[in-house]
């Protein structure tokens, strides 16, 4: 589990996607991997999500494949069975964390308030999705949460309102292990098969990582 989170931190950006056509799943993952960003969060917001995860897991076993928008214990177990290597939720659910622990799925619950982060910490989660970041105070709010929770080992993945214009600012924060965002592979580009455009955005993540290291004094 520690190794998985370390690999995500090294990549810095997790593309968050909605896949409506299973046939697009593997080409998308290949485009990202070949561009140097072999990580993805497939949100369980479409009927094709489970099959998309299964297709990527079967074809690219080394890909850092995540499943997102996991709202119930049943969704957690379904995602793990399909081949997800980590799970993500928009909020905190002790039941989902318990289900993830039962099947051995590294899990990132969501939180934006001190009480929610405390709940995550009490349940054993130290990697937390700060969501929705943009409308919840952005970087200043995140910095305020880092002060009390950083010493306890809590690390954050801001998502929601994060894009190429502000990702480096988030990544420069000492309490951030990665950011999640939809800008690398928007739904329309996936549906149209614009793999080179998606790969171009993925390759630009290297520049974001560099900028974050400079602004944050190294990550």
């Amino acid at each position: 589990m520690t190794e998985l989170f370390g690999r995500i931190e090294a990549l810095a950006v997790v593309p968050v996607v909605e896949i409506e056509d299973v046939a697009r799943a593997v080409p998308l993952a290949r485009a990202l991997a070949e561009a140097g960003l072999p990580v993805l969060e497939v949100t369980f917001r479409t009927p094709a999500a489970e099959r998309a995860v299964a297709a990527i897991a079967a074809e690219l076993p080394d890909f850092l494949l995540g499943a997102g928008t996991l709202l119930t214990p049943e969704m957690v177990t379904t995602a793990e069975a399909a081949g997800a290597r980590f799970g993500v939720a928009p909020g905190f659910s002790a039941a989902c964390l318990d289900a993830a622990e039962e099947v051995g799925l590294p899990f990132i619950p969501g939180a934006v308030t001190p009480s929610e982060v405390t709940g995550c910490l009490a349940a054993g989660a130290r990697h937390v999705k700060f969501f929705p970041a943009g409308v919840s105070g952005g970087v200043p709010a995140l910095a305020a949460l880092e002060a009390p929770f950083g010493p306890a080992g809590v690390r954050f993945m801001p998502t929601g309102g994060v894009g190429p214009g502000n990702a480096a600012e988030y990544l420069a924060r000492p309490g951030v292990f990665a950011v999640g965002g939809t800008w690398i592979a928007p739904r329309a580009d996936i549906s149209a098969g614009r793999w080179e455009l998606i790969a171009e955005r993925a390759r630009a993540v290297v520049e974001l990582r560099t900028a974050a290291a400079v602004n944050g004094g190294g990550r």
Side-chain angles (χ1 to χ4, degrees):
M1 186 177 298
T2 301
E3 179 186 359
L4 181 141
F5 285 125
R7 290 183 63 191
I8 292 175
E9 181 167 6
L11 293 169
V13 175
V14 177
V16 179
V17 306
E18 291 184 27
I19 298 177
E20 298 176 302
D21 180 358
V22 176
R24 301 295 190 185
V26 172
L28 169 63
R30 289 193 188 282
L32 291 170
E34 291 170 3
L37 192 63
V39 62
L40 190 63
E41 178 191 325
V42 178
T43 58
F44 271 46
R45 299 178 185 176
T46 70
E50 179 184 352
R51 290 175 294 144
V53 167
I56 296 170
E59 292 293 325
L60 299 169
D62 294 329
F63 197 89
L64 289 178
L65 177 58
T69 320
L70 302 182
L71 306 177
T72 65
E74 292 75 21
M75 294 175 76
V76 172
T77 55
T78 294
E80 191 277 335
R85 298 183 62 186
F86 66 94
V88 186
F92 168 68
S93 164
C96 285
L97 279 165
D98 288 344
E101 184 175 4
E102 286 182 12
V103 297
L105 182 70
F107 197 77
I108 306 171
V112 291
T113 69
S115 294
E116 291 169 348
V117 178
T118 298
C120 293
L121 184 60
R126 284 176 168 75
H127 289 80
V128 176
K129 177 179 181 177
F130 180 61
F131 174 84
V135 298
S136 300
V139 174
L142 178 63
L145 289 173
E146 286 176 331
F149 293 108
V154 177
R155 308 290 306 285
F156 295 94
M157 182 172 74
T159 308
V162 179
N166 62 5
E169 186 179 5
Y170 279 107
L171 288 169
R173 296 299 312 171
V176 170
F177 72 96
V179 298
T182 60
W183 83 89
I184 291 176
R187 181 168 53 182
D189 287 346
I190 295 172
S191 297
R194 301 186 183 109
W195 311 131
E196 182 50 41
L197 180 58
I198 290 171
E200 181 180 335
R201 297 192 193 105
R203 287 190 290 268
V205 167
V206 175
E207 297 177 14
L208 286 177
R209 287 197 292 258
T210 301
V214 170
N215 294 332
R219 296 184 63 244

